Amino acid sequence: MYTQLRETATELANVLWREHTVYRERGGGFVIRGEHVQRWISLAPTGGRNEALVRVGRILEGGTTAPARSEQIVRLDAGTSELAATCRRLLADAAAEPSRPVRAQATGPDRGGSKGRKRRRPRRARHTSFTSWVVIVCVAGVVAVFAYASATR
């Protein structure tokens, strides 16, 4: 699978960009970096046969990479020209929305992000809550009763 992925990444890089670098990621996928266009494409294996997850993102100043802006699962046996067309479409989608990465897009009706996830309030300075004071008073009361009982014996 990794050999096929490497060959596909190399062929795809040659079709898409004149200047590129292909290297292997830690997770087993391959990345195509186009420094002259400030974009990267990642081909990562999926659980299915002859399928790969294609992700596209930007290269920031200094050479670091921004998170993926768009992604899609593609069939590797589709052919290089079809994969190149998919990558071009993903690159165009990523360029169309330069200010908002994919992971930050609103998904729910409240526009609060992913479903089932609560929005957190900004953290304030820590103060002792009412419940904590009740616990402290009760512990102090138990210690006082114990001290009084042992003093009266």
Side-chain angles (χ1 to χ4, degrees), residues 4 8 49-52 74-80 82-83:
Q4 180 185 12
T8 303
R49 281 190 94 88
N50 290 328
E51 290 183 341
V74 296
R75 301 216 21 101
L76 293 176
D77 56 1
T80 306
E82 225 174 289
L83 290 173

Side-chain angles (χ1 to χ4, degrees), residues 80-96:
T80 306
S81 60
E82 225 174 289
L83 290 173
T86 301
C87 289
R88 285 185 184 114
R89 185 177 47 76
L90 291 173
L91 288 165
D93 289 347

Side-chain angles (χ1 to χ4, degrees), residues 82-153:
E82 225 174 289
L83 290 173
T86 301
C87 289
R88 285 185 184 114
R89 185 177 47 76
L90 291 173
L91 288 165
D93 289 347
E97 295 184 30
S99 63
R100 193 172 66 190
V102 168
R103 302 202 192 289
Q105 289 180 354
T107 58
D110 63 344
R111 299 286 201 216
S114 62
K115 293 181 181 179
R117 200 169 175 192
K118 292 183 177 180
R119 295 179 86 171
R120 294 186 179 200
R121 290 183 286 163
R123 193 169 271 244
R124 297 181 302 171
R126 295 185 181 240
H127 295 287
T128 308
S129 68
F130 177 73
T131 306
S132 298
W133 282 113
V134 169
V135 169
I136 290 170
V137 168
C138 288
V139 169
V142 169
V143 169
V145 168
F146 180 72
Y148 179 74
S150 46
T152 58
R153 285 190 189 184

